[in-house]
Amino acid sequence: MNEHEHHHEEPIEDSEITGWKHKLIWSWVLTIPIVIIMLSERLFGVSLIEMPYSIITILVLGFPVLFIFGFDTMKGGLRGLFTFYFNMDSLIALGTLVAYLTGIFSFTGVVLDYSGVAAMIMAFFTTGKYVEAKARGRASEEIRKLLELGAKNATVVRDGKEMEIPIDEVRLGDVIIVKPGEKIPTDGIVVKGESSVDESMVTGESLPVDKSKGKNVIGATINQDGILYIKATKVGKDTFLAHIIDLVEQTQSEKIPIQKLADKITSVFVPFILVLAVLTFANWWIFSGDLSRAIGVGVAVLVIACPCALGLATPTALMVGSGMGAKRGILIRKGEAIQTMKEIKIVVFDKTGTITKGKPEVTDIYSKIKEEKLLEIAASIEKLSEHPIAHAIVTKANLKIYKKVTAFSIIRGKGVVGKISGNDIVIGNRALMNDKKIKYSSFEDQISEFESGGKTAMIVAENKKVIGIIAVADAIKEDSVIAIKKLNMHGYRTVMITGDNERTAKAIASQVGIKEVIANVLPEDKSKKVSELQKEGFVAFIGDGINDAPALKQSNVGIAMGTGTDIAIEAGDIVLARGSLLGVVQAINLSKATFRKIKQNLFWAFAYNVVAIPLAVAGVLHPVVAEIAMALSSITVVTNANLLRRKKID
């Protein structure tokens, strides 16, 4: 079984939850008899078991609760005391150990028996841990849904034979056969066959995507209507799906600045409480002369002050928040982004592939000859180029037979040249026309009109004469306009940084509602422009290309489009798996909602201690009551964190 494949009877069950569940059940199985013995004696004056056998029974029943089912808590807590690395378990470990030892020393007649309290404290503590693990499980349910998307088996061709094997046995380079209706087992490239593939569960794209030889496919997507032969290019933990899961899991274990602050407070708070418990014990012993009472009050202080709620305040909210994000295709790679995102004032966009689809299309043709003839000439030349604009022209022409081209060459950044039937063909921008001394001034108005509409004008010349202009534009994503409108409504400053010329850039910006444009920016200068904007407030940068990586790193929050390059995705703090800018709006709203929940949780955790500790010092709270109160505070924090799910972030 590979590391991303799990099987569950229940969707939220995992080994951690199951472990705490077993500890919880057995702790209470042993603790309930202790409770019955204690209550019958202390409330009703009825001894179910004669002394001293009742104490011995409680000690025997309590031992596994503390030292077997509570072993990890005891070990971690006591180790923290001896190494001066104080944590939440330190108070519980010390409190339960002292209470348990009173049972042994009670045989001397000097102290009362609190050993039953020790078992009850640990049982309640185990219950709190189980609730915490359960909450974590619920928060990770979206991840598990992703896990379950993957195929379990694959049909591969080896030594000329078809065979079905478990998915974790698929090797790089294996050719996999995927029939209609089957899940594609792993990331790969089509080597044979044609079909359409439903990628909605991974990319959010609602329409099936056509696949043919040479096209990439994503594992866990569903083949629709044809048989595909796919060569595996990524397997196991390297697949797109596994990568997404890793991103979310990393975030859920990461500490954000406010969590680090809570940890720092805890490291000071715990030794303070230890000192307070000792002073409380000494004070009660000296002034009351009652050693048993003094021990009981000291144990109550230790237990009531256990900062479990404080420790749960941030991680539970963060886990729920990142789980909500994952459900919407918002993958938080760095936990700190959740805290920083709410401070964003300026939202900066790359253009191509971010605001636009990144797939140019022919929008207009201005021709001095027959349009079909112009397209035939242009497509025959452009077919030899791999440039996206070339693809757009070839797609538009949709020819079955192309003209024979000789002397073909690509002029980087300018266009292409070649010969058809002895005629010199030049296709490109103004710079190429100037280089070839081709006059195009009579077409300038038409070129400018296209460019003012955000289109790229490709001039087509035959034997030094311009015969037409083909306008190509990168279509704007349907939801880009909605997303930017929402950002503008909420007072965010929207900026576009692009390498395009200013006229084209401003045309695109006006179509989507972006207020500021920084055009003609070289790839290496994008991060400098972001740095300049940061002087005016926190900046979120959204991009998708390799050239966007430095700007993504430079910004306060880098948001990478999940449909972009691996390098951009790695550089981003947040990844929008669905490639939709609406994810930016959702990420901001999610950040604000999550952080609001964290602050609420921290308030309740501190408020609880402020009220409860003085009561414990005053001797008002029995150790058992203290433990119940402590458990309830943790449950309150976990429940409050889970209420985040009800928050609308769209």
Side-chain angles (χ1 to χ4, degrees):
M1 188 187 296
N2 78 37
E3 63 188 82
H4 291 295
E5 190 177 326
H6 298 258
H7 298 283
H8 314 280
E9 289 184 12
E10 298 175 50
I12 62 170
E13 286 282 328
D14 62 15
S15 57
E16 186 188 12
I17 297 172
T18 305
W20 281 113
K21 189 177 183 179
H22 288 156
K23 289 176 183 177
L24 166 77
I25 292 168
W26 283 107
S27 293
W28 281 109
V29 164
L30 296 169
T31 301
I32 287 170
I34 294 173
V35 173
I36 294 168
I37 292 168
M38 287 173 60
L39 291 179
S40 63
E41 285 182 357
R42 295 177 188 181
L43 291 181
F44 306 108
V46 178
S47 296
L48 298 177
I49 303 173
E50 293 295 319
M51 293 285 288
Y53 299 110
S54 61
I55 297 174
I56 294 170
T57 303
I58 289 171
L59 287 169
V60 169
L61 290 171
F63 184 87
V65 178
L66 261 66
F67 302 108
I68 296 177
F69 307 120
F71 177 75
D72 290 337
T73 303
M74 297 294 286
K75 184 177 75 172
L78 294 173
R79 185 192 289 153
L81 291 172
F82 289 117
T83 59
F84 295 98
Y85 183 76
F86 302 109
N87 56 31
M88 278 161 251
D89 292 348
S90 303
L91 299 179
I92 289 293
L94 188 61
T96 52
L97 184 62
V98 170
Y100 187 80
L101 290 174
T102 60
I104 297 170
F105 289 110
S106 67
F107 292 106
T108 63
V110 178
V111 297
L112 286 176
D113 170 33
Y114 284 107
S115 59
V117 172
M120 291 173 72
I121 289 170
M122 189 58 76
F124 273 115
F125 184 75
T126 303
T127 304
K129 284 288 188 181
Y130 171 70
V131 171
E132 179 192 341
K134 197 88 168 172
R136 204 162 26 238
R138 272 200 296 272
S140 303
E141 195 171 349
E142 288 80 10
I143 299 173
R144 290 176 173 78
K145 285 176 183 172
L146 285 172
L147 284 166
E148 288 163 10
L149 287 177
K152 302 295 182 283
N153 298 298
T155 303
V156 300
V157 180
R158 287 183 183 168
D159 302 322
K161 294 179 182 176
E162 290 184 22
M163 59 178 75
E164 190 171 313
I165 59 172
I167 186 65
D168 55 311
E169 291 181 16
V170 174
R171 300 192 295 260
L172 283 174
D174 273 342
V175 174
I176 304 164
I177 302 171
V178 187
K179 294 171 184 173
E182 290 183 346
K183 286 182 181 178
I184 295 172
T186 191
D187 296 5
I189 188 166
V190 178
V191 293
K192 184 181 171 185
E194 291 183 356
S195 184
S196 55
V197 174
D198 180 1
E199 297 183 341
S200 58
M201 71 287 288
V202 176
T203 65
E205 180 62 52
S206 57
L207 295 172
V209 182
D210 290 334
K211 301 291 180 182
S212 55
K213 189 177 177 179
K215 295 285 181 71
N216 292 316
V217 292
I218 303 168
T221 56
I222 300 169
N223 184 25
Q224 299 276 287
D225 47 23
I227 297 176
L228 292 175
Y229 290 76
I230 296 161
K231 184 179 178 181
T233 56
K234 291 179 181 177
V235 296
K237 61 182 176 55
D238 296 322
T239 62
F240 179 83
L241 189 63
H243 187 60
I244 286 176
I245 293 158
D246 279 343
L247 294 183
V248 182
E249 287 178 338
Q250 284 168 25
T251 305
Q252 293 193 340
S253 61
E254 198 171 288
K255 289 184 177 178
I256 64 174
I258 197 166
Q259 172 65 9
K260 291 171 185 172
L261 176 64
D263 289 347
K264 196 173 281 185
I265 292 168
T266 301
S267 68
V268 174
F269 179 75
V270 172
F272 167 75
I273 292 299
L274 290 174
V275 172
L276 181 65
V278 171
L279 291 173
T280 301
F281 162 75
N283 185 64
W284 274 85
W285 190 17
I286 293 165
F287 289 101
S288 74
D290 188 339
L291 179 59
S292 287
R293 179 71 170 138
I295 290 172
V297 174
V299 169
V301 171
L302 287 173
V303 172
I304 199 73
C306 177
C308 300
L310 183 63
L312 291 172
T314 300
T316 50
L318 183 60
M319 276 183 255
V320 173
S322 59
M324 285 174 68
K327 197 173 182 179
R328 290 164 173 81
I330 303 164
L331 310 173
I332 302 157
R333 291 189 72 243
K334 295 177 183 170
E336 190 171 340
I338 277 203
Q339 186 166 340
T340 310
M341 197 70 189
K342 66 180 178 55
E343 306 294 342
I344 294 298
K345 298 288 184 270
I346 306 164
V347 185
V348 181
F349 301 90
D350 167 54
K351 180 178 79 72
T352 307
T354 302
I355 294 170
T356 65
K357 293 178 180 177
K359 292 178 183 176
E361 299 169 358
V362 173
T363 56
D364 304 88
I365 297 170
Y366 181 79
S367 183
K368 287 289 187 183
I369 60 175
K370 277 190 175 182
E371 193 173 290
E372 294 82 8
K373 182 73 174 171
L374 180 73
L375 277 172
E376 185 184 35
I377 292 168
S380 296
I381 295 277
E382 295 285 14
K383 194 173 188 302
L384 302 173
S385 169
E386 290 296 316
H387 196 279
I389 288 176
H391 283 300
I393 293 171
V394 172
T395 303
K396 178 70 177 176
N398 194 25
L399 301 177
K400 289 187 175 151
I401 302 169
Y402 294 88
K403 297 249 182 209
K404 189 180 176 183
V405 177
T406 57
F408 173 81
S409 69
I410 296 169
I411 317 297
R412 197 71 58 198
K414 294 178 182 179
V416 293
V417 298
K419 283 181 181 283
I420 295 177
S421 304
N423 296 316
D424 289 319
I425 309 296
V426 179
I427 306 172
N429 54 22
R430 288 186 181 89
L432 183 57
M433 298 299 133
N434 292 333
D435 289 351
K436 299 293 182 181
K437 302 208 170 23
I438 297 170
K439 293 179 181 177
Y440 58 89
S441 54
S442 61
F443 292 83
E444 186 59 55
D445 288 348
Q446 197 61 53
I447 296 168
S448 298
E449 187 185 320
F450 287 151
E451 286 179 347
S452 63
K455 301 163 186 175
T456 300
M458 300 302 292
I459 306 166
V460 184
E462 184 179 43
N463 297 326
K464 301 270 186 183
K465 283 188 176 181
V466 176
I467 57 173
I469 301 157
I470 299 174
V472 177
D474 187 2
I476 292 167
K477 293 177 183 175
E478 293 77 6
D479 49 20
S480 293
V481 178
I482 303 166
I484 291 161
K485 185 181 178 182
K486 285 186 177 184
L487 290 168
N488 288 333
M489 276 173 54
H490 289 96
Y492 292 97
R493 183 177 161 193
T494 52
V495 182
M496 184 168 77
I497 296 180
T498 178
D500 271 4
N501 66 73
E502 194 161 347
R503 187 185 289 174
T504 301
K506 281 186 173 176
I508 296 290
S510 67
Q511 288 178 51
V512 295
I514 287 177
K515 304 288 177 68
E516 296 175 51
V517 174
I518 306 171
N520 297 306
V521 179
L522 294 170
E524 57 269 27
D525 291 337
K526 280 189 178 182
S527 61
K528 291 178 187 173
K529 296 295 180 183
V530 169
S531 179
E532 289 169 15
L533 288 167
Q534 283 175 309
K535 294 170 185 172
E536 300 170 53
F538 274 31
V539 172
F541 180 86
I542 302 102
D544 76 316
I546 293 170
N547 61 338
D548 295 323
L552 287 163
K553 283 287 187 189
Q554 175 63 42
S555 62
N556 299 95
V557 180
I559 302 174
M561 307 302 278
T563 48
T565 63
D566 288 348
I567 292 174
I569 290 169
E570 287 298 325
D573 303 310
I574 294 172
V575 178
L576 304 180
R578 296 175 181 174
S580 167
L581 287 183
L582 285 170
V584 177
V585 180
Q586 293 172 335
I588 292 172
N589 292 339
L590 181 64
S591 168
K592 288 178 177 177
T594 303
F595 206 75
R596 201 177 298 120
K597 217 40 104 174
I598 289 170
K599 287 200 289 189
Q600 287 173 10
N601 281 351
L602 288 172
F603 169 78
W604 286 115
F606 280 117
Y608 157 80
N609 280 319
V610 166
V611 172
I613 290 171
L615 292 174
V617 171
V620 175
L621 295 179
H622 188 277
V624 174
V625 177
E627 173 53 30
I628 293 169
M630 188 272 288
L632 286 173
S633 73
S634 297
I635 290 165
T636 301
V637 163
V638 169
T639 304
N640 189 45
N642 276 287
L643 289 175
L644 181 61
R645 296 174 192 285
R646 298 185 180 180
K647 188 75 182 173
K648 289 185 178 179
I649 62 167
D650 298 319

